[in-house]
Amino acid sequence: MAETTNESFRQMSPAEFFYRNKEIAGFTSASRAMYQAVREFFENSLDATEVHGILPRVTVQISKEDPNNPDFFTITVEDNGIGIPSTVIPDAFGRVLFSSKYKLRQTRGMYGLGAKMAILYGQQNTGKPFEIFSSTPSSKKVYYYKLMIRMDKNEPLILEEGEWPKSSGWHGTIVKLTLEGEWSKRTKDYISVYLKRTAIIAPYADIIFISPSIEGEGKEPEITLYRRVTTKLPAPPKETKPHPIGVDLEMLKMMIAERPSANMKDFLMRSFQRVGEKKAEEILEKAKIDPRRRASTLTEKELESLYKAIKDTKFIAPSSESLSPIGEDLIKIGLKEVLQAEFVDAVTRKPKSYGGHPFIVEAGIAYGGKLLENLDEIAKDSLKGQQGPYVALLRYANKIPLLFDEKADVIWSIVNSEEFSWKTTYKLEQTDVVAVLVHVASTKVPYKGVGKESIAPVEELRKEIEAAVQEVARRLRVYLTKKRKKQEAQEKLRLFMKYIPEIAQNLAYFVTDGKELREASKSLERELLEMAKRKVRAQLEQPEELTHIVPVALPAAEQEGSIEDPSTSEEEEE
Ligand SMILES: Nc1ncnc2c1ncn2[C@@H]1O[C@H](COP(=O)(O)OP(=O)(O)OP(=O)(O)O)[C@@H](O)[C@H]1O
Ligand SMILES: [Mg+2]
């Protein structure tokens, strides 16, 4: 009997799948969607500039352009990047899972999803198309497209296109998206915090943000500007081949499909990093595969033994060329510029790896000055629940600020662990506030969940984060100890100066016969003052660990008002 069913079947396009599951990409509410859309375009702009050695200048504007639809917001993002070749524009913005970033190197984007999710979100609620202008540096024209995404087919629907000759040397991209959003305090805070935290780690960028004007409230657009304060860019990431340990069986099959006619020895040597002739032979011998075999002829069983042989072989750790850390100088410049702190420092750790994936951890620290007033809203909020010393965490993965799920992050658990005692080990006082920045750069950041907002406690990474934060915390302690010693010494000097005239007068009484009392007293005063200064200066110049302020040995005065022994004064008790 023939099988019957009432079920109907169809295939879902990637565009439809991601639109239905838009929370995967962060589009959970009207407010979050605004933030997420800004992020997606902004990050594309940074990838199109700094990764290619261009000092970024990115303008983000949110405006209300439709008086009939007060909830419609238009997001315009303009950059001076490498642009997009005209023939590729429709696919780059009209096809989910279409990207130039499916390469092994550290960029902000990597999924081929971001811009399209924002566009799908926008068009579904507003029915309005997406617009783009773009020009590459070598192109003589500027290209324009107005398009929508055909969700059922996962392809662009071009509504209008145009091109103009280029009169200036302009290159870059301007995108314009209208979506149904919400300009609440929350939306504003998230976007502002995101941009501010980006400005901290990208002091080489000009970032301009223009917020919407709210007619009802009579509010004019606000302009926030983060000016470039250095022309130094982080070294761009280089594309690398995968490391054998980071590859799984499926990936191995895909790689073979790319080089089907290569012999196995060549295949291994050309497809992977850290595999030379000897290593390739070693692997193939373990897998009992003839090095001359054509890659495409491998049976399923042979593929499995190849995979196993790779796992059983030792390799040099993966190369870190694919990574682009921010660097100690830029972190320090950014922290100083944006937070206006009194003390900043930073450390970039050596590259390490986990499971065949290279990573670099960086940490920065900021203390004092105008730190508290310049901290962003999210950081300030996080301080409220603490008891002091207060630690504001600035987390980043591949240069993207992580604003959500702070407490789920391994960084948070390290910085807030019992063993990490800011008070006893690092000498912070109960009321002190520090900002701690941690950046994890990797070709595969081990995120905890699909939201990609918190980092999982992979042991190799945990150790590096801990070591990095310990290092910057130690440097802060050195600074604070010196600073406190200096304050104590100055206080001592002040005290000495207060009493020296009186001591000098008394001493003069003993050493003169009473006639030149005044002169003797003045000269003694000068000498004592010099002595005190020398002593204090000498103590300040001693290495930090050795410095210990001891009282200047002054002759005891028998008279009333004798000098107070500084060693017992209150200041010394600290
Ligand atoms: N401002 C831009 N300048 C140059 N190229 C861009 C720009 N915006 C997007 N692109 C191109 O369009 C592609 C698709 O962008 P999209 O944001 O959808 O994905 P992605 O950035 O590759 O990955 P992710 O989903 O992680 O953001 C990019 O890979 C890039 O090649
Ligand atoms: Mg992107």
Side-chain angles (χ1 to χ4, degrees):
M1 206 172 90
E3 206 182 348
T4 55
T5 170
N6 289 330
E7 293 295 333
S8 62
F9 294 87
R10 73 174 178 100
Q11 190 181 1
M12 192 190 282
S13 86
E16 186 180 347
F17 170 80
F18 282 107
Y19 184 71
R20 283 179 181 232
N21 297 287
K22 46 190 173 300
E23 55 292 340
I24 292 179
F27 290 79
T28 43
S29 64
S31 162
R32 181 92 188 253
M34 290 260 281
Y35 158 75
Q36 196 66 34
V38 165
R39 254 192 71 170
E40 296 299 350
F41 294 124
F42 184 71
E43 282 166 19
N44 283 349
S45 290
L46 290 177
D47 278 346
T49 45
E50 61 165 85
V51 174
H52 302 272
I54 301 171
L55 290 167
R57 181 180 168 86
V58 188
T59 307
V60 178
Q61 175 164 22
I62 302 180
S63 51
K64 277 191 171 190
E65 299 192 353
D66 189 342
N68 298 324
N69 290 295
D71 293 337
F72 286 10
F73 291 87
T74 300
I75 299 173
T76 312
V77 179
E78 172 171 355
D79 65 55
N80 59 340
I82 53 159
I84 310 163
S86 64
T87 51
V88 183
I89 294 176
D91 284 335
F93 294 98
R95 230 181 256 281
V96 170
L97 306 186
F98 186 93
S99 171
S100 61
K101 301 174 198 163
Y102 298 148
K103 293 174 184 164
L104 213 51
R105 67 169 180 196
Q106 178 202 325
T107 45
R108 288 173 165 87
M110 59 201 299
Y111 305 108
L113 194 62
K116 278 78 80 176
M117 285 306 304
I119 296 169
L120 280 168
Y121 186 90
Q123 75 180 32
Q124 289 309 299
N125 295 326
T126 67
K128 292 198 192 276
F130 171 77
E131 288 176 277
I132 169 161
F133 297 81
S134 192
S135 185
T136 60
S138 60
S139 169
K140 295 197 167 47
K141 289 178 179 165
V142 177
Y143 295 90
Y144 167 77
Y145 284 91
K146 186 190 262 189
L147 54 82
M148 292 181 91
I149 299 176
R150 285 198 59 173
M151 198 137 79
D152 55 342
K153 296 238 164 69
N154 188 30
E155 63 181 35
L157 174 68
I158 300 171
L159 303 174
E160 227 179 284
E161 56 188 299
E163 54 181 68
W164 298 272
K166 210 158 70 170
S167 51
S168 65
W170 182 80
H171 56 85
T173 301
I174 304 171
V175 296
K176 204 168 166 180
L177 171 82
T178 301
L179 50 65
E180 192 174 39
E182 179 192 297
W183 188 248
S184 57
K185 175 171 178 341
R186 194 177 153 77
T187 321
K188 189 176 164 204
D189 280 353
Y190 273 97
I191 294 175
S192 315
V193 171
Y194 173 82
L195 294 176
K196 189 175 211 170
R197 291 202 187 176
T198 302
I200 291 178
I201 57 149
Y204 46 80
D206 269 337
I207 301 171
I208 301 126
F209 175 57
I210 307 166
S211 75
S213 57
I214 311 290
E215 305 90 50
E217 298 168 25
K219 279 196 186 142
E220 289 294 305
E222 265 173 51
I223 301 179
T224 313
L225 176 68
Y226 294 102
R227 265 195 192 291
R228 174 182 304 136
V229 287
T230 171
T231 52
K232 187 180 158 161
L233 276 173
K238 289 200 182 122
E239 190 185 344
T240 51
K241 297 175 196 166
H243 187 273
I245 295 299
V247 166
D248 60 20
L249 191 53
E250 281 311 311
M251 177 94 176
L252 191 60
K253 288 182 191 169
M254 288 202 306
M255 290 168 77
I256 285 182
E258 277 171 24
R259 285 203 168 89
S261 51
N263 71 47
M264 276 313 291
K265 190 162 134 188
D266 271 2
F267 164 76
L268 290 176
M269 286 165 61
R270 284 204 270 143
S271 305
F272 292 103
Q273 54 166 290
R274 309 304 198 206
V275 178
E277 204 168 346
K278 280 224 171 76
K279 268 291 156 205
E281 283 164 3
E282 182 188 332
I283 296 167
L284 291 167
E285 199 182 315
K286 274 190 204 156
K288 298 197 172 50
I289 296 171
D290 187 335
R292 290 163 302 182
R293 276 282 293 285
R294 264 171 64 111
S296 59
T297 65
L298 254 55
T299 63
E300 197 68 27
K301 247 197 136 78
E302 283 172 322
L303 273 169
E304 276 169 32
S305 40
L306 176 66
Y307 175 64
K308 196 166 172 305
I310 289 177
K311 294 285 150 199
D312 290 344
T313 305
K314 284 218 170 333
F315 299 93
I316 304 174
S319 144
S320 59
E321 280 189 323
S322 54
L323 303 182
S324 172
I326 304 157
E328 295 175 359
D329 285 353
L330 287 174
I331 297 178
K332 283 195 267 187
I333 293 173
L335 283 172
K336 191 99 206 166
E337 174 65 23
V338 178
L339 299 181
Q340 301 283 314
E342 158 192 331
F343 172 83
V344 300
D345 212 331
V347 60
T348 298
R349 301 273 305 169
K350 289 213 178 74
K352 287 274 158 59
S353 70
Y354 77 94
H357 311 292
F359 71 87
I360 291 178
V361 172
E362 303 182 276
I365 200 158
Y367 167 87
K370 294 189 176 156
L371 172 70
L372 196 54
E373 65 191 83
N374 286 312
L375 271 181
D376 59 62
E377 293 305 315
I378 296 179
K380 277 185 190 154
D381 264 359
S382 83
L383 299 184
K384 285 184 192 146
Q386 301 179 22
Q387 293 186 330
Y390 299 88
V391 183
L393 257 192
L394 310 174
R395 298 174 294 134
Y396 299 83
N398 287 349
K399 299 184 189 154
I400 300 177
L402 306 180
L403 306 188
F404 298 90
D405 304 342
E406 179 180 80
K407 291 192 175 150
D409 199 307
V410 61
I411 301 171
W412 190 88
S413 61
I414 291 169
V415 171
N416 290 285
S417 69
E418 293 260 311
E419 301 88 72
F420 209 103
S421 174
W422 289 96
K423 213 167 159 183
T424 20
T425 315
Y426 298 104
K427 305 285 181 246
L428 286 187
E429 288 172 12
Q430 195 79 30
T431 51
D432 277 340
V433 181
V434 281
V436 173
L437 177 155
V438 177
H439 176 224
V440 175
S442 177
T443 42
K444 192 170 166 63
V445 175
Y447 289 111
K448 246 186 171 170
V450 283
K452 300 187 180 60
E453 288 289 347
S454 62
I455 300 175
V458 170
E459 187 51 22
E460 294 90 333
L461 191 59
R462 208 194 55 73
K463 274 198 209 144
E464 278 299 298
I465 296 172
E466 192 170 57
V469 181
Q470 276 170 352
E471 176 61 26
V472 287
R474 198 189 63 75
R475 291 188 196 173
L476 173 63
R477 185 187 62 200
V478 171
Y479 170 78
L480 284 178
T481 312
K482 271 194 190 143
K483 182 180 162 179
R484 286 173 191 150
K485 294 260 153 76
K486 199 169 166 187
Q487 279 168 347
E488 280 168 21
Q490 272 160 351
E491 182 56 20
K492 290 268 132 67
L493 195 60
R494 200 188 55 77
L495 259 183
F496 293 151
M497 285 168 76
K498 186 172 157 198
Y499 291 107
I500 278 171
E502 205 171 329
I503 298 167
Q505 243 179 34
N506 292 330
L507 279 176
Y509 175 79
F510 290 111
V511 295
T512 59
D513 56 9
K515 281 184 196 153
E516 291 114 31
L517 201 63
R518 219 176 119 76
E519 289 73 32
S521 164
K522 279 281 159 223
S523 127
L524 273 170
E525 196 178 316
R526 270 196 301 277
E527 272 176 49
L528 283 173
L529 194 62
E530 270 314 302
M531 243 170 80
K533 278 186 184 164
R534 263 204 310 278
K535 187 84 186 176
V536 168
R537 213 175 290 135
Q539 281 160 0
L540 283 176
E541 279 161 10
Q542 277 176 37
E544 180 235 334
E545 271 76 18
L546 298 177
T547 312
H548 177 69
I549 300 281
V550 287
V552 180
L554 283 169
E558 285 170 11
Q559 306 279 324
E560 236 188 302
S562 68
I563 193 166
E564 188 183 338
D565 180 356
S567 70
T568 59
S569 72
E570 277 175 23
E571 292 85 353
E572 201 57 25
E573 300 302 321
E574 286 180 18

